[in-house]
Amino acid sequence: MPLFFLIPLFTGLATGYFSKKCTDEIAYLTGLFTVISLILSLVLAPWQIQFVLLIFVIISSNRLLQE
């Protein structure tokens, strides 16, 4: 299984961490970069990981809808 999707994931997590520390308008740019890189890592992820995430979302949404 290729692990290329981890590169934008860790980049996004690192920029998200730095955007929490920053209070200027650069925090908005790093937040935007974080969202884009996390979406990119989900697109590049293998289908097995995407399937597990889909099952997790379905189960958690069913629990929220029951409440």
Coordinates of all heavy atoms in Angstrom, one line a residue:
M1 N 0.8 -1.2 0.0 CA 0.0 0.0 0.0 C 0.9 1.2 0.0 O 1.7 1.4 0.9 CB -0.9 0.0 1.3 CG -1.7 1.2 1.4 SD -2.9 1.3 2.8 CE -2.8 -0.2 3.6
P2 N 0.8 2.1 -1.0 CA 1.6 3.3 -1.0 C 1.2 4.3 0.1 O 0.0 4.5 0.4 CB 1.3 3.9 -2.4 CG 0.0 3.3 -2.9 CD -0.1 2.0 -2.2
L3 N 2.1 4.9 0.6 CA 1.9 5.8 1.7 C 2.1 7.3 1.4 O 2.4 8.1 2.2 CB 2.8 5.5 2.9 CG 2.6 4.0 3.5 CD1 3.6 3.8 4.6 CD2 1.2 3.9 4.0
F4 N 1.9 7.6 0.1 CA 2.0 9.0 -0.4 C 1.0 9.9 0.2 O 1.3 11.1 0.3 CB 1.9 9.0 -1.9 CG 3.0 8.3 -2.6 CD1 2.7 7.3 -3.5 CD2 4.3 8.6 -2.4 CE1 3.7 6.6 -4.2 CE2 5.3 8.0 -3.1 CZ 5.0 6.9 -3.9
F5 N -0.1 9.4 0.7 CA -1.1 10.3 1.2 C -0.7 10.9 2.6 O -1.3 11.8 3.1 CB -2.5 9.6 1.3 CG -2.5 8.5 2.4 CD1 -3.1 8.9 3.7 CD2 -2.0 7.3 2.2 CE1 -3.1 7.9 4.7 CE2 -2.0 6.3 3.2 CZ -2.6 6.6 4.4
L6 N 0.3 10.3 3.2 CA 0.7 10.8 4.5 C 1.5 12.1 4.4 O 1.5 12.8 5.4 CB 1.6 9.7 5.2 CG 0.9 8.4 5.6 CD1 1.9 7.4 6.2 CD2 -0.2 8.7 6.6
I7 N 2.1 12.4 3.3 CA 2.9 13.6 3.1 C 2.0 14.8 3.3 O 2.2 15.7 4.1 CB 3.6 13.6 1.8 CG1 4.7 12.5 1.8 CG2 4.3 15.0 1.6 CD1 5.3 12.3 0.5
P8 N 0.9 15.0 2.5 CA 0.0 16.1 2.8 C -0.7 16.1 4.1 O -1.0 17.1 4.7 CB -1.0 16.1 1.6 CG -0.9 14.8 1.0 CD 0.4 14.2 1.4
L9 N -0.9 14.9 4.6 CA -1.6 14.8 5.9 C -0.7 15.4 7.0 O -1.2 16.2 7.8 CB -1.9 13.3 6.2 CG -2.6 13.1 7.6 CD1 -4.0 13.7 7.6 CD2 -2.6 11.6 7.9
F10 N 0.5 15.0 7.1 CA 1.4 15.5 8.1 C 1.7 17.0 7.9 O 1.9 17.8 8.8 CB 2.7 14.7 8.2 CG 2.5 13.4 8.8 CD1 3.0 12.2 8.2 CD2 1.9 13.3 10.1 CE1 2.8 11.0 8.8 CE2 1.7 12.0 10.7 CZ 2.1 10.9 10.0
T11 N 1.8 17.4 6.6 CA 2.0 18.8 6.3 C 0.8 19.6 6.8 O 1.0 20.7 7.4 CB 2.2 19.0 4.8 OG1 3.3 18.2 4.4 CG2 2.5 20.5 4.5
G12 N -0.4 19.1 6.6 CA -1.6 19.8 7.0 C -1.7 19.9 8.6 O -2.1 20.9 9.1
L13 N -1.3 18.8 9.2 CA -1.3 18.8 10.7 C -0.3 19.8 11.3 O -0.6 20.5 12.2 CB -1.1 17.4 11.2 CG -2.2 16.4 10.9 CD1 -1.8 15.0 11.4 CD2 -3.5 16.8 11.6
A14 N 0.8 19.9 10.6 CA 1.9 20.8 11.1 C 1.4 22.2 10.9 O 1.6 23.1 11.8 CB 3.2 20.5 10.4
T15 N 0.9 22.6 9.7 CA 0.4 23.9 9.5 C -0.8 24.3 10.4 O -0.9 25.4 10.8 CB 0.1 24.2 8.1 OG1 -0.9 23.2 7.7 CG2 1.3 24.1 7.2
G16 N -1.6 23.3 10.7 CA -2.7 23.5 11.6 C -2.2 23.8 13.0 O -2.8 24.7 13.7
Y17 N -1.2 23.1 13.4 CA -0.6 23.4 14.7 C 0.0 24.8 14.8 O -0.2 25.5 15.8 CB 0.5 22.4 15.0 CG 1.2 22.6 16.3 CD1 0.7 22.4 17.6 CD2 2.6 23.1 16.3 CE1 1.4 22.6 18.7 CE2 3.2 23.4 17.4 CZ 2.6 23.1 18.7 OH 3.3 23.4 19.8
F18 N 0.7 25.2 13.8 CA 1.3 26.5 13.7 C 0.2 27.6 13.6 O 0.4 28.7 14.1 CB 2.3 26.7 12.6 CG 3.5 25.9 12.8 CD1 4.0 25.0 11.9 CD2 4.2 25.9 14.0 CE1 5.2 24.3 12.1 CE2 5.4 25.2 14.3 CZ 5.8 24.4 13.3
S19 N -0.9 27.3 13.0 CA -2.0 28.4 12.9 C -2.6 28.6 14.2 O -3.2 29.7 14.4 CB -3.0 28.0 11.8 OG -3.8 26.9 12.2
K20 N -2.6 27.6 15.1 CA -3.2 27.8 16.4 C -2.3 28.7 17.2 O -2.8 29.4 18.1 CB -3.4 26.5 17.1 CG -4.4 25.6 16.6 CD -5.8 26.2 17.0 CE -6.9 25.2 16.6 NZ -8.2 25.7 16.9
K21 N -1.0 28.7 17.0 CA -0.1 29.5 17.7 C -0.1 31.0 17.2 O 0.3 31.9 18.0 CB 1.3 28.9 17.6 CG 1.5 27.6 18.2 CD 1.7 27.6 19.7 CE 1.9 26.2 20.2 NZ 2.0 26.2 21.6
C22 N -0.5 31.2 16.0 CA -0.4 32.5 15.4 C -1.7 33.3 15.5 O -2.8 32.7 15.5 CB 0.0 32.3 13.9 SG 0.6 33.8 13.1
T23 N -1.6 34.6 15.7 CA -2.8 35.4 15.8 C -3.0 36.4 14.7 O -4.0 37.1 14.7 CB -2.8 36.2 17.2 OG1 -1.6 37.0 17.2 CG2 -2.7 35.2 18.3
D24 N -2.1 36.5 13.8 CA -2.2 37.4 12.7 C -3.1 36.8 11.6 O -3.7 35.8 11.7 CB -0.8 37.7 12.1 CG 0.1 38.3 13.1 OD1 -0.4 38.9 14.1 OD2 1.3 38.2 13.0
E25 N -3.2 37.6 10.5 CA -4.0 37.1 9.4 C -3.3 35.9 8.6 O -3.9 35.3 7.8 CB -4.4 38.2 8.4 CG -3.4 39.1 7.8 CD -3.1 40.3 8.7 OE1 -3.8 40.8 9.5 OE2 -2.0 40.8 8.4
I26 N -2.1 35.7 8.9 CA -1.4 34.5 8.4 C -2.0 33.2 8.9 O -1.9 32.2 8.2 CB 0.1 34.6 8.6 CG1 0.9 33.6 7.7 CG2 0.5 34.3 10.1 CD1 1.0 34.1 6.3
A27 N -2.7 33.3 10.0 CA -3.3 32.1 10.6 C -4.5 31.7 9.6 O -4.7 30.5 9.5 CB -3.9 32.4 11.9
Y28 N -5.1 32.6 9.0 CA -6.2 32.3 8.1 C -5.6 31.5 6.8 O -6.2 30.6 6.3 CB -7.0 33.5 7.6 CG -7.7 34.2 8.8 CD1 -7.3 35.4 9.2 CD2 -8.7 33.5 9.4 CE1 -8.0 36.0 10.2 CE2 -9.4 34.1 10.5 CZ -9.0 35.4 10.9 OH -9.7 36.0 11.9
L29 N -4.5 32.0 6.4 CA -3.9 31.4 5.2 C -3.4 29.9 5.5 O -3.5 29.0 4.7 CB -2.7 32.2 4.7 CG -3.1 33.5 4.0 CD1 -1.9 34.3 3.7 CD2 -3.9 33.3 2.8
T30 N -2.8 29.8 6.7 CA -2.3 28.5 7.1 C -3.5 27.5 7.4 O -3.4 26.3 7.1 CB -1.4 28.5 8.3 OG1 -2.1 29.2 9.4 CG2 -0.1 29.2 8.0
G31 N -4.6 28.1 7.9 CA -5.8 27.3 8.1 C -6.4 26.8 6.8 O -6.8 25.7 6.6
L32 N -6.4 27.7 5.7 CA -6.8 27.3 4.4 C -5.9 26.2 3.8 O -6.4 25.2 3.2 CB -6.8 28.5 3.5 CG -7.3 28.3 2.1 CD1 -8.7 27.9 2.0 CD2 -7.0 29.5 1.3
F33 N -4.6 26.4 4.0 CA -3.7 25.4 3.5 C -3.9 24.0 4.2 O -3.8 23.0 3.6 CB -2.2 25.8 3.7 CG -1.2 24.9 3.2 CD1 -1.0 24.8 1.8 CD2 -0.5 24.1 4.0 CE1 -0.1 23.9 1.3 CE2 0.5 23.2 3.5 CZ 0.7 23.1 2.2
T34 N -4.2 24.1 5.5 CA -4.5 22.9 6.3 C -5.7 22.1 5.7 O -5.6 20.9 5.5 CB -4.7 23.2 7.8 OG1 -3.6 23.9 8.3 CG2 -5.0 22.0 8.6
V35 N -6.8 22.8 5.5 CA -8.0 22.2 4.9 C -7.7 21.6 3.5 O -8.1 20.5 3.3 CB -9.1 23.2 4.9 CG1 -10.3 22.7 4.1 CG2 -9.5 23.6 6.3
I36 N -7.0 22.3 2.7 CA -6.7 21.8 1.4 C -5.8 20.6 1.4 O -6.1 19.6 0.7 CB -6.1 22.9 0.5 CG1 -7.1 24.0 0.2 CG2 -5.5 22.4 -0.8 CD1 -6.5 25.2 -0.5
S37 N -4.8 20.6 2.3 CA -3.9 19.4 2.3 C -4.6 18.2 3.0 O -4.3 17.1 2.6 CB -2.7 19.8 3.1 OG -2.9 20.1 4.4
L38 N -5.5 18.4 3.9 CA -6.3 17.3 4.5 C -7.2 16.7 3.5 O -7.3 15.5 3.4 CB -7.0 17.7 5.7 CG -6.2 18.1 6.9 CD1 -7.0 18.6 8.1 CD2 -5.3 16.9 7.4
I39 N -7.9 17.5 2.7 CA -8.7 17.0 1.6 C -7.9 16.2 0.6 O -8.3 15.1 0.1 CB -9.5 18.1 1.0 CG1 -10.6 18.6 2.0 CG2 -10.2 17.6 -0.3 CD1 -11.3 19.9 1.5
L40 N -6.7 16.8 0.2 CA -5.8 16.1 -0.7 C -5.4 14.7 -0.2 O -5.3 13.8 -0.9 CB -4.6 17.0 -1.0 CG -3.6 16.4 -2.0 CD1 -4.3 16.3 -3.4 CD2 -2.4 17.3 -2.1
S41 N -5.1 14.7 1.1 CA -4.6 13.4 1.7 C -5.8 12.4 1.7 O -5.5 11.2 1.5 CB -4.1 13.6 3.1 OG -5.1 14.0 4.0
L42 N -7.0 12.8 1.8 CA -8.1 11.9 1.8 C -8.3 11.4 0.3 O -8.7 10.2 0.1 CB -9.4 12.5 2.3 CG -9.5 12.7 3.8 CD1 -10.8 13.4 4.2 CD2 -9.5 11.3 4.5
V43 N -8.1 12.3 -0.6 CA -8.3 11.8 -2.0 C -7.2 10.8 -2.4 O -7.4 9.9 -3.1 CB -8.2 13.1 -3.0 CG1 -8.1 12.7 -4.4 CG2 -9.5 13.9 -2.7
L44 N -6.0 11.1 -1.9 CA -4.8 10.2 -2.2 C -4.8 8.9 -1.4 O -4.0 8.0 -1.7 CB -3.5 10.9 -2.1 CG -3.3 12.1 -3.0 CD1 -2.0 12.8 -2.7 CD2 -3.2 11.6 -4.5
A45 N -5.6 8.8 -0.4 CA -5.6 7.6 0.5 C -6.1 6.4 -0.3 O -6.9 6.5 -1.2 CB -6.4 7.9 1.7
P46 N -5.5 5.2 0.1 CA -6.0 4.0 -0.5 C -7.5 3.7 -0.2 O -8.0 4.2 0.8 CB -5.1 2.9 0.1 CG -3.9 3.6 0.7 CD -4.4 5.0 1.0
W47 N -8.1 2.9 -1.0 CA -9.5 2.7 -0.8 C -9.9 2.0 0.5 O -11.0 2.2 1.0 CB -10.1 1.9 -2.0 CG -9.6 0.4 -2.1 CD1 -8.6 0.0 -2.7 CD2 -10.3 -0.7 -1.5 NE1 -8.5 -1.4 -2.6 CE2 -9.5 -1.8 -1.8 CE3 -11.4 -0.8 -0.7 CZ2 -9.8 -3.1 -1.3 CZ3 -11.7 -2.1 -0.2 CH2 -10.9 -3.2 -0.6
Q48 N -8.9 1.2 1.0 CA -9.2 0.6 2.3 C -9.4 1.6 3.4 O -10.3 1.5 4.3 CB -8.1 -0.4 2.7 CG -7.9 -1.5 1.8 CD -6.9 -1.3 0.7 OE1 -6.4 -0.2 0.4 NE2 -6.5 -2.4 0.0
I49 N -8.5 2.6 3.4 CA -8.6 3.7 4.5 C -9.9 4.5 4.2 O -10.6 4.9 5.2 CB -7.3 4.5 4.5 CG1 -6.2 3.6 4.9 CG2 -7.5 5.7 5.4 CD1 -4.8 4.3 4.8
Q50 N -10.2 4.8 3.0 CA -11.4 5.6 2.7 C -12.6 4.8 3.1 O -13.6 5.4 3.6 CB -11.5 5.9 1.2 CG -10.4 6.9 0.7 CD -10.5 7.1 -0.8 OE1 -11.2 6.4 -1.5 NE2 -9.7 8.1 -1.2
F51 N -12.6 3.5 2.9 CA -13.7 2.6 3.3 C -13.9 2.6 4.8 O -15.1 2.7 5.3 CB -13.5 1.2 2.8 CG -14.7 0.3 3.1 CD1 -15.9 0.5 2.4 CD2 -14.6 -0.7 4.0 CE1 -17.0 -0.4 2.7 CE2 -15.6 -1.6 4.3 CZ -16.8 -1.4 3.6
V52 N -12.8 2.5 5.6 CA -12.9 2.6 7.0 C -13.5 3.9 7.5 O -14.3 4.0 8.4 CB -11.5 2.2 7.7 CG1 -11.5 2.5 9.1 CG2 -11.2 0.8 7.4
L53 N -13.0 5.0 6.9 CA -13.5 6.3 7.3 C -15.0 6.4 6.9 O -15.8 7.1 7.7 CB -12.7 7.4 6.6 CG -11.3 7.6 7.1 CD1 -10.6 8.6 6.2 CD2 -11.4 8.2 8.5
L54 N -15.4 5.9 5.8 CA -16.8 5.9 5.4 C -17.7 5.2 6.5 O -18.8 5.6 6.9 CB -17.0 5.3 4.0 CG -18.5 5.3 3.5 CD1 -19.0 6.7 3.3 CD2 -18.5 4.5 2.2
I55 N -17.3 4.0 6.9 CA -18.0 3.2 7.9 C -18.1 4.0 9.2 O -19.1 4.0 9.8 CB -17.3 1.8 8.1 CG1 -17.4 1.0 6.8 CG2 -18.0 1.1 9.2 CD1 -18.8 0.7 6.3
F56 N -17.0 4.6 9.6 CA -16.9 5.4 10.8 C -17.9 6.6 10.8 O -18.7 6.8 11.7 CB -15.5 5.9 11.1 CG -15.4 6.8 12.3 CD1 -15.5 6.3 13.5 CD2 -15.2 8.2 12.1 CE1 -15.4 7.2 14.6 CE2 -15.2 9.0 13.2 CZ -15.3 8.5 14.5
V57 N -18.0 7.2 9.6 CA -18.9 8.4 9.5 C -20.4 7.9 9.5 O -21.2 8.5 10.1 CB -18.6 9.1 8.2 CG1 -19.7 10.1 7.8 CG2 -17.3 9.9 8.3
I58 N -20.6 6.8 8.9 CA -22.0 6.3 8.9 C -22.4 5.9 10.2 O -23.6 6.2 10.7 CB -22.1 5.1 7.9 CG1 -22.0 5.6 6.4 CG2 -23.4 4.3 8.1 CD1 -21.9 4.5 5.4
I59 N -21.6 5.2 11.0 CA -21.9 4.8 12.3 C -22.1 6.0 13.3 O -23.1 6.0 14.0 CB -20.9 3.8 12.9 CG1 -21.0 2.5 12.1 CG2 -21.0 3.6 14.4 CD1 -19.9 1.5 12.4
S60 N -21.2 6.9 13.2 CA -21.3 8.1 14.1 C -22.5 9.0 13.7 O -23.2 9.5 14.6 CB -20.0 8.9 14.0 OG -19.8 9.4 12.7
S61 N -22.9 9.1 12.4 CA -24.0 9.8 12.1 C -25.3 9.2 12.5 O -26.3 9.8 12.9 CB -24.0 10.1 10.5 OG -24.2 8.9 9.8
N62 N -25.4 7.8 12.5 CA -26.5 7.1 12.9 C -26.7 7.3 14.4 O -27.8 7.5 14.9 CB -26.4 5.6 12.6 CG -26.7 5.3 11.2 OD1 -27.4 6.1 10.5 ND2 -26.2 4.2 10.7
R63 N -25.6 7.3 15.2 CA -25.7 7.6 16.6 C -26.2 9.0 16.9 O -27.0 9.2 17.8 CB -24.4 7.3 17.3 CG -24.1 5.9 17.4 CD -22.8 5.6 18.2 NE -22.5 4.2 18.2 CZ -21.3 3.8 18.6 NH1 -20.4 4.6 19.0 NH2 -21.1 2.5 18.6
L64 N -25.7 10.0 16.2 CA -26.2 11.3 16.4 C -27.6 11.5 16.0 O -28.3 12.3 16.6 CB -25.3 12.3 15.6 CG -23.9 12.5 16.1 CD1 -23.1 13.3 15.2 CD2 -23.9 13.1 17.5
L65 N -28.1 10.8 14.9 CA -29.5 11.0 14.5 C -30.5 10.3 15.5 O -31.6 10.7 15.6 CB -29.6 10.4 13.1 CG -29.0 11.2 12.0 CD1 -29.1 10.5 10.7 CD2 -29.6 12.6 11.9
Q66 N -30.0 9.3 16.2 CA -30.9 8.6 17.1 C -31.1 9.5 18.4 O -32.1 9.4 19.0 CB -30.3 7.3 17.6 CG -30.3 6.2 16.5 CD -29.7 4.9 16.8 OE1 -29.1 4.8 17.9 NE2 -29.7 4.0 16.0
E67 N -30.2 10.4 18.7 CA -30.4 11.2 19.9 C -31.3 12.3 19.5 O -32.2 12.8 19.6 CB -29.0 11.8 20.3 CG -28.1 10.8 20.8 CD -26.7 11.4 21.1 OE1 -26.6 12.6 21.0 OE2 -25.9 10.7 21.6

